[in-house]
Amino acid sequence: ESVYGFGEESLVFYSNNNNNNNDLNSGGGGGGGGEIGSNLRISGMRSGDSSDTDFVLGALLHVHSEDPTQDGGRCGAIRDDEELEAMLFAIDTVNADGDLLPGIKLGYDVRDTCYSENIALDETVDLIIAGSNFLPESCVRATTVGGETGGSVAGANNSSQNSGTILGIIGAEASRVSRPVASLTRLFQLPQISPASSSPSLSNRDRYTYFFRTIPPDDLQARAMVELMTFYNWTHFSTIYSNDDYGRGGIEELHNLASERGMCLDLNMAIEDDFVESDYRRIVETLYGLGNENDVAGSDSDSTESTGSDSGSTGSDSSTTTTTTGGGFGLGSSVAVLFTHEQNARLLYEEVATLEPAIRRNRTVVFIGSEAWARSISTISSLNEVSAGYFGVSPAVEYSDTFYNDYLTRLTLQSNKRNAWFPEFFSSLAGGCDHSSSSDDFDGGAQNGTSDSSTSATATDGTETTMATGASSTTTTAATTTPTTTNDGGGDGDSVFPCDRSLNIFQLNRTHEMTIFGSQTIDAVYAFAHALNDFLIDNCDAIGESPYVWTRQNGTCVGQRAELTGSALLGYVQNVSFTSPTGNEVSFDENGNIRRKYEILNFQYKGQGRYALERVAVWKSDLNLLIFNKSMDVQFGIVKQDIDVVGVGDGDYLVIGEAPVSQCNLCRPGEYLVPVTSACCGTCQACLGDRFSNGTYSTSCSSCTETFGPNYWGDDPTIGSDDCVEIETYHLEFSHPWSVIVVLLSIFGILCVAATAIVVGVKWGTPIVKSSGREQIVLLLCGISLSFVLPIFYIAPPTLGVCVVQRVGIWVCVSLTFGAILVKVVRVYRIFVNAEKMKLKRVRFTGPLYQVLFTFLIVGGQIMILAISIGVRIPGVESNIRRNQEDSNDFPTNVLTCVADHPALLGISIAYEGAVVLSATVLGVLSFKYPKNFNEARFISFCTFALLLIWLTFVPSYFTASFRVEFQSAVIAMATLMTAYAELLCLFGQKVYIMILHPGSNVASNTTHHQQQTYDVQQKSKISNTLVVRNEKSTAFLTVGGSPKIPLSTIRYAKRDSDTEMMGVDNNAVTENGKE
């Protein structure tokens, strides 16, 4: 008893201990007397002697409920003070522990949030200021615990002392309150540990850096619920949730997880803060299929289909309830998940109890409750027949025997002097007794406010609770009891009876139950204590056996090396790991969440009017593993024994031991479930094309191309596939009509080239061969031969070798033939231009070796482009999936082709060869004016014209054939063949014709210039290499001035060009009769 400090008085400011319905926004006086400002609403209590306190733990607790009849900022009825007493108990035990924080005393500064965000923010700011040597204007006057107005002012209001250094904040409890508070504590770098806020949104470490909690987040709870439904194959379910941060966050996660499992959401209904009895009744009627779902409470519009994200919308101002209705064997779902607060669940149960028994018998609904009321015996047992078979999902929490069985049993109105709210709480449990007076002959039964048929319950799982059989509602709970006058207990019925100041709360009300939040509050206090202890050990000098020595006068430890700040303490809170006095293992993950498993509780009928809340399974979050207690039977409800239901009879009830069916019609493999507004379970649709499904719970189809590879398709793509098969490959084969044509043309062309080569070889020394340039003839015949061979590779099955030949071969062939033609026409053009200018010097770089060199230079330029092309896009085989034109879902064709050249480099190659051909064409045209009997230039021009026409025709055809990629190969093959035929015909056709059919024309006279030309030389000049003759019998004359024509036979000649049969005038001046 010396450990506990409940006998010490606290400093109280604006306590609500005299009135449970104070207006904290008004200018009226608060509980305990005293005046408050019109704009102030601070209500709390703190440690009495701040000089004897080293560190203070702030607390934001939900002592009073928010007044539902008023806007935010007003407190309503007393709620509970278990968390407050748990915090005070934990501080007492820490202060008494010689090993934990030796020489340090913790204090407290507790504020009542009244479940209001606005009040909580005001209290938080006041807490921070009070712990920072500021003078908070809210603390105008203090009162004592007894409610009398005192002359001393709390904390900093009557002295220069503040409440002590705020170490951190315990709370808040409600998630919607913790969120704004967590944003504020992050701003002031003050660690915060909540024992009850479970919203998943608080796991956001970027927004709530300083927030921790000793309760697991709701997303873990939702996973446990989904695992439970999966175990019983409940794939068709309904949800009811409180439309606030707690309900929306949890139900959104539940919907998302259930959707991943292929579960079907039947009904999704929200409970608003302003719901009344008729609203709850309409929800229950909709759940049991009795009313129109469009008439659900709160809904003023047509029902809409709900998804997991609908319930997660932010904001709490929604005035409508969204529902989703559907089939499931035509009966709707048999499972309802309640993500609600305790009060909401109790009101729903009351409405279920009003249904006709026959309705409940014909439609079994199993309820699954969230941790907010999973262990609430008062709610669950208030309607025994309705609650039997209920499942609760709650964090696995150990209860402190010392706190529940020792500390709380010592709390009476006489002993508990430091808790300013305890008298009000005591009065609410006693049915509204007057705690300011006492009665020696107090009748405890009257205070209980219940009849002899009341139920009894404790917080220990598995402990039986006795109920009057058939009772409808017998429990009085603190959360809804308003301390007013009562006629129970022998009073006159009109006056308030006095409280018995010697009773504890368990003696006062046998049905009062403990929650998990008391233990979690103890864990939170010890987390701060261990974090502070670890900080001091790391940053202080050890002296003797003591890890550190604290000096209260200086507020430091001996040898302290670092300042204790909120940011410094944050890391130590993050890394705590210890076993709490409650027996719970306490440590936090990277998001500030505690690591803890969940218990699955089942409310069971034990016979003869006895019920118990049994733990039937445990879900381990780290392993995602649901483990059932094999020695414990599971119940799903009870019915009257006269009803033919499979179960075990006991008294007037039969226990339902077989899980009800709550499923949609299953889709076969090869189908998937499609939600529709007319039926929640949706319809089954086939997985067509490249999609497949191989399960009966599929809500979507998988893609064969994404799962197995781009060359896979569904095995039954027009009906529904449950597996994937490889797509059949296709490429041009030699039996294809296009291939046959190409092969025949290639063979014929090769034969023509061979015949031409034979003729040229036989006539190798004749003038017509020599005049055409024998080296160029060889190059042209080689290029044309390759051009006839290459098309065969375009219709061959694609392989790496074939693709390399395709990429390189065409441009080598084209550049070789085009280059030889260009060099040939350039040579002819230069010779005639030189002769036209009457220059006697021979044209340079026109010899045979130069012709070959220039040709290979042109080919080399193309090879450089090809090298870059191969480096950018390596040749290889690629797949081109061609869909069926009649039915896009039917088996496609995998057309194998070679990897195409990069478009930019392809354009460069086309431009390069186009420039070669265009240059040859222009020079060929310019050569038309030269002697007609020099026929080479004319046929070169015809050849280049033909090449331009062919490629201008086939290049567009290549791109327009992209819808059939195999046709592109055929187009290139035909273009190459036509090019080869044009070159062979234009360049060699006439020569072969003369050499075979007219050999008499293959003489020098037919390759010479044979016309008469005269020149009038009026000034002195040198006769240039203008007159080109083929023999000495030319009849051409030279006229000098006005003299008669002089036969050219008198002119002295120079050497003969044996290769071209051309002769030129000597460079020396031509003289006749001594004249130039």
Side-chain angles (χ1 to χ4, degrees):
E1 188 166 322
S2 61
V3 173
Y4 306 135
F6 49 70
E8 303 173 358
E9 292 188 357
S10 300
L11 293 176
V12 183
F13 35 95
Y14 309 148
S15 169
N16 296 314
N17 60 342
N18 275 346
N19 189 347
N20 70 322
N21 207 13
N22 286 318
D23 184 350
L24 299 183
N25 270 333
S26 68
E35 299 177 358
I36 61 176
S38 60
N39 62 337
L40 304 176
R41 48 190 177 197
I42 305 301
S43 175
M45 66 180 192
R46 64 167 64 109
S47 306
D49 187 1
S50 60
S51 63
D52 191 33
T53 302
D54 298 294
F55 297 96
V56 173
L57 277 178
L60 299 170
L61 300 179
H62 182 183
V63 181
H64 288 83
S65 298
E66 189 176 21
D67 188 350
T69 63
Q70 303 292 336
D71 294 333
R74 298 173 182 268
C75 292
I78 189 74
R79 174 182 169 270
D80 198 353
D81 72 346
E82 179 186 345
E83 293 83 359
L84 171 56
E85 292 294 353
M87 176 182 175
L88 299 177
F89 162 79
I91 290 176
D92 289 343
T93 55
V94 169
N95 289 337
D97 192 336
D99 297 326
L100 183 61
L101 297 179
I104 293 178
K105 183 177 180 180
L106 298 180
Y108 55 87
D109 191 341
V110 184
R111 307 302 177 90
D112 182 9
T113 65
C114 298
Y115 202 65
S116 167
E117 298 98 317
N118 293 334
I119 295 177
L121 288 175
D122 289 346
E123 300 285 9
T124 304
V125 173
D126 198 75
L127 267 175
I128 295 171
I129 295 176
S132 306
N133 292 325
F134 284 85
L135 296 180
E137 63 175 351
S138 57
C139 298
V140 178
R141 180 173 297 184
T143 60
T144 63
V145 174
E148 300 176 357
T149 303
S152 61
V153 180
N157 291 280
N158 66 337
S159 68
S160 62
Q161 296 179 351
N162 61 11
S163 63
T165 302
I166 297 294
L167 188 65
I169 292 180
I170 304 293
E173 297 181 65
S175 295
R176 70 168 188 172
V177 178
S178 286
R179 283 196 302 162
V181 170
S183 298
L184 197 59
T185 56
R186 176 182 178 275
L187 177 64
F188 287 96
Q189 298 183 340
L190 191 63
Q192 171 192 358
I193 303 179
S194 171
S197 297
S198 56
S199 172
S201 63
L202 289 167
S203 297
N204 188 330
R205 217 59 184 144
D206 293 332
R207 297 187 62 182
Y208 310 116
T209 310
Y210 284 75
F211 179 83
F212 299 85
R213 49 184 161 192
T214 53
I215 183 174
D218 289 334
D219 53 353
L220 294 182
Q221 180 182 184
R223 288 172 59 189
M225 291 177 171
V226 172
E227 289 299 326
L228 176 64
M229 292 191 292
T230 302
F231 180 84
Y232 289 112
N233 201 18
W234 290 333
T235 58
H236 190 206
F237 69 101
S238 298
T239 54
I240 303 173
Y241 66 97
S242 298
N243 194 14
D244 56 17
D245 190 68
Y246 169 76
R248 287 193 302 268
I251 213 68
E252 178 182 7
E253 185 67 21
L254 179 72
H255 289 170
N256 292 336
L257 292 172
S259 177
E260 293 175 1
R261 298 290 182 89
M263 296 178 176
C264 174
L265 178 62
D266 185 8
L267 296 169
N268 182 42
M269 298 178 284
I271 297 177
E272 307 294 343
D273 292 338
D274 58 352
F275 267 23
V276 294
E277 181 180 335
S278 59
D279 298 321
Y280 286 97
R281 184 180 304 116
R282 281 193 287 269
I283 286 181
V284 170
E285 290 175 349
T286 302
L287 181 64
Y288 279 84
L290 302 178
N292 187 344
E293 61 272 10
N294 294 338
D295 295 331
V296 175
S299 177
D300 54 6
S301 62
D302 294 339
S303 63
T304 59
E305 184 177 359
S306 173
T307 62
S309 60
D310 293 335
S311 61
S313 59
T314 58
S316 57
D317 298 332
S318 174
S319 60
T320 63
T321 299
T322 304
T323 65
T324 305
T325 62
F329 303 122
L331 296 176
S333 61
S334 300
V335 176
V337 178
L338 273 62
F339 236 109
T340 65
H341 299 291
E342 180 180 351
Q343 175 73 355
N344 302 136
R346 181 183 296 110
L347 294 174
L348 276 174
Y349 268 137
E350 290 177 358
E351 292 304 321
V352 173
T354 63
L355 296 176
E356 293 292 334
I359 296 176
R360 298 201 304 271
R361 288 195 299 266
N362 294 332
R363 176 71 181 279
T364 300
V365 177
V366 177
F367 292 96
I368 301 176
S370 60
E371 47 80 24
W373 57 282
R375 299 176 185 269
S376 177
I377 300 296
S378 61
T379 297
I380 302 168
S381 62
S382 61
L383 300 159
N384 48 18
E385 186 177 344
V386 174
S387 303
Y390 149 86
F391 285 92
V393 178
S394 174
V397 177
E398 300 293 337
Y399 291 91
S400 171
D401 291 337
T402 306
F403 173 62
Y404 288 106
N405 298 328
D406 182 28
Y407 179 84
L408 289 181
T409 59
R410 297 174 182 269
L411 298 183
T412 65
L413 283 178
Q414 291 177 343
S415 63
N416 193 359
K417 298 181 180 180
R418 67 177 172 183
N419 186 347
W421 291 292
F422 184 74
E424 185 181 354
F425 173 64
F426 188 95
S427 176
S428 68
L429 289 182
C433 68
D434 183 4
H435 59 77
S436 61
S437 60
S438 62
S439 174
D440 294 335
D441 57 349
F442 176 73
D443 184 357
Q447 292 185 83
N448 195 352
T450 62
S451 64
D452 293 338
S453 62
S454 299
T455 63
S456 64
T458 67
T460 305
D461 297 339
T463 302
E464 296 181 355
T465 64
T466 303
M467 302 180 181
T469 302
S472 60
S473 180
T474 59
T475 302
T476 302
T477 60
T480 57
T481 302
T482 303
T484 58
T485 60
T486 179
N487 56 11
D488 292 339
D492 58 8
D494 296 323
S495 61
V496 177
F497 54 88
C499 297
D500 188 339
R501 306 180 71 86
S502 63
L503 296 179
N504 64 41
I505 57 176
F506 298 111
Q507 294 169 329
L508 180 67
N509 191 332
R510 291 179 301 158
T511 62
H512 181 66
E513 61 202 40
M514 294 296 103
T515 67
I516 64 174
F517 304 121
S519 293
Q520 293 171 167
T521 303
I522 296 173
D523 295 342
V525 173
Y526 268 83
F528 273 122
H530 278 275
L532 176 60
N533 191 65
D534 294 342
F535 172 85
L536 296 176
I537 291 175
D538 290 346
N539 295 281
C540 300
D541 293 337
I543 299 179
E545 296 182 356
S546 178
Y548 53 84
V549 175
W550 180 261
T551 57
R552 182 165 298 157
Q553 294 79 5
N554 299 328
T556 60
C557 61
V558 176
Q560 184 167 337
R561 294 179 291 276
E563 181 182 0
L564 178 59
T565 62
S567 58
L569 187 62
L570 175 68
Y572 286 91
V573 175
Q574 179 71 65
N575 295 320
V576 295
S577 180
F578 62 93
T579 301
S580 172
T582 60
N584 296 319
E585 298 293 331
V586 179
S587 62
F588 301 105
D589 63 16
E590 64 277 5
N591 295 319
N593 300 321
I594 197 168
R595 300 178 176 93
R596 191 160 290 170
K597 59 186 178 182
Y598 273 86
E599 293 178 339
I600 308 299
L601 309 174
N602 183 225
F603 192 61
Q604 299 186 355
Y605 178 64
K606 296 298 184 179
Q608 300 178 355
R610 296 177 298 113
Y611 293 81
L613 189 61
E614 300 284 5
R615 185 177 70 178
V616 295
V618 172
W619 179 73
K620 295 183 177 181
S621 60
D622 53 344
L623 301 176
N624 194 23
L625 182 63
L626 183 64
I627 303 174
F628 272 82
N629 184 357
K630 296 182 179 179
S631 62
M632 182 67 63
D633 293 330
V634 178
Q635 297 181 9
F636 302 93
I638 57 175
V639 294
K640 290 291 185 179
Q641 198 170 19
D642 57 347
I643 304 300
D644 185 15
V645 178
V646 178
V648 179
D650 190 350
D652 294 332
Y653 291 95
L654 281 175
V655 174
I656 302 176
E658 183 178 351
V661 176
S662 187
Q663 298 177 354
C664 295
N665 293 318
L666 302 181
C667 296
R668 69 171 182 84
E671 297 178 338
Y672 70 103
L673 184 66
V674 180
V676 294
T677 56
S678 60
C680 165
C681 286
T683 60
C684 294
Q685 291 190 6
C687 295
L688 305 177
D690 73 327
R691 300 181 302 161
F692 76 100
S693 69
N694 51 16
T696 56
Y697 299 101
S698 300
T699 57
S700 62
C701 299
S702 301
S703 173
C704 291
T705 56
E706 295 177 0
T707 305
F708 297 100
N711 299 331
Y712 284 83
W713 205 255
D715 60 349
D716 198 352
T718 58
I719 298 177
S721 304
D722 60 2
D723 201 359
C724 298
V725 295
E726 193 168 2
I727 302 174
E728 181 181 356
T729 59
Y730 170 78
H731 55 80
L732 271 180
E733 297 179 352
F734 289 107
S735 60
H736 193 280
W738 276 104
S739 301
V740 173
I741 295 174
V742 169
V743 171
L744 291 177
L745 290 175
S746 296
I747 294 175
F748 181 73
I750 293 173
L751 294 176
C752 291
V753 172
T756 302
I758 293 173
V759 172
V760 170
V762 172
K763 304 293 183 177
W764 186 254
T766 60
I768 197 168
V769 174
K770 295 170 65 177
S771 65
S772 297
R774 286 177 287 191
E775 290 78 7
Q776 294 299 90
I777 289 177
V778 172
L779 292 177
L780 283 170
L781 288 177
C782 290
I784 295 172
S785 299
L786 293 176
S787 297
F788 282 123
V789 174
L790 182 63
I792 298 177
F793 287 90
Y794 279 98
I795 61 174
T799 62
L800 178 59
V802 169
C803 292
V804 172
V805 173
Q806 287 186 14
R807 178 80 67 85
V808 177
I810 183 172
W811 296 115
V812 171
C813 293
V814 169
S815 60
L816 181 59
T817 54
F818 289 7
I821 293 173
L822 177 61
V823 170
K824 191 180 189 69
V825 73
V826 167
R827 175 175 175 270
V828 172
Y829 180 77
R830 290 182 63 206
I831 290 175
F832 277 103
V833 168
N834 192 69
E836 189 176 56
K837 294 181 179 180
M838 302 180 66
K839 294 181 179 180
L840 296 178
K841 287 185 178 181
R842 184 182 180 186
V843 181
R844 301 177 62 187
F845 308 119
T846 58
L849 294 179
Y850 288 112
Q851 308 306 302
V852 175
L853 177 61
F854 291 151
T855 301
F856 281 111
L857 285 177
I858 295 174
V859 175
Q862 181 61 64
I863 291 177
M864 291 179 61
I865 299 175
L866 288 174
I868 298 174
S869 170
I870 293 175
V872 173
R873 199 172 273 185
I874 300 175
V877 181
E878 67 177 355
S879 298
N880 296 273
I881 306 300
R882 184 200 301 159
R883 295 291 186 92
N884 189 301
Q885 297 297 321
E886 297 180 357
D887 185 354
S888 61
N889 292 319
D890 204 353
F891 285 108
T893 303
N894 182 13
V895 180
L896 297 180
T897 59
C898 292
V899 176
D901 197 356
H902 190 280
L905 294 170
L906 177 62
I908 293 175
S909 295
I910 293 175
Y912 182 82
E913 299 300 337
V916 172
V917 175
L918 187 61
S919 300
T921 303
V922 172
L923 292 177
V925 171
L926 295 177
S927 300
F928 274 10
K929 65 181 180 179
Y930 297 120
K932 295 180 180 180
N933 62 336
F934 188 82
N935 298 318
E936 190 75 12
R938 191 176 305 276
F939 287 106
I940 290 175
S941 299
F942 291 157
C943 180
T944 55
F945 287 148
L947 294 181
L948 281 176
L949 180 62
I950 291 171
W951 284 97
L952 287 176
T953 302
F954 278 94
V955 168
S957 301
Y958 173 82
F959 290 105
T960 55
S962 58
F963 67 96
R964 294 290 297 270
V965 290
E966 72 274 22
F967 285 174
Q968 289 183 320
S969 298
V971 168
I972 297 178
M974 292 301 296
T976 306
L977 287 172
M978 294 301 101
T979 300
Y981 276 112
E983 293 168 343
L984 185 64
L985 182 63
C986 293
L987 298 179
F988 294 95
Q990 185 250 2
K991 293 181 177 65
V992 172
Y993 174 79
I994 292 175
M995 286 186 289
I996 296 177
L997 299 181
H998 299 281
S1001 299
N1002 189 9
V1003 293
S1005 60
N1006 289 323
T1007 61
T1008 60
H1009 172 72
H1010 196 63
Q1011 65 177 6
Q1012 296 184 355
Q1013 295 182 5
T1014 60
Y1015 295 86
D1016 187 7
V1017 183
Q1018 298 181 359
Q1019 296 181 355
K1020 294 181 179 181
S1021 64
K1022 289 185 177 181
I1023 301 177
S1024 301
N1025 189 14
T1026 301
L1027 298 180
V1028 178
V1029 295
R1030 300 298 174 124
N1031 52 46
E1032 297 180 356
K1033 297 180 179 180
S1034 174
T1035 57
F1037 295 92
L1038 172 67
T1039 300
V1040 180
S1043 62
K1045 296 179 180 179
I1046 303 173
L1048 288 180
S1049 58
T1050 61
I1051 299 177
R1052 182 161 49 90
Y1053 288 92
K1055 65 179 181 179
R1056 179 189 300 273
D1057 190 334
S1058 61
D1059 294 327
T1060 61
E1061 289 295 324
M1062 294 184 180
M1063 298 183 63
V1065 180
D1066 192 278
N1067 289 333
N1068 296 327
V1070 178
T1071 59
E1072 176 67 23
N1073 299 326
K1075 298 181 180 179
E1076 290 188 348

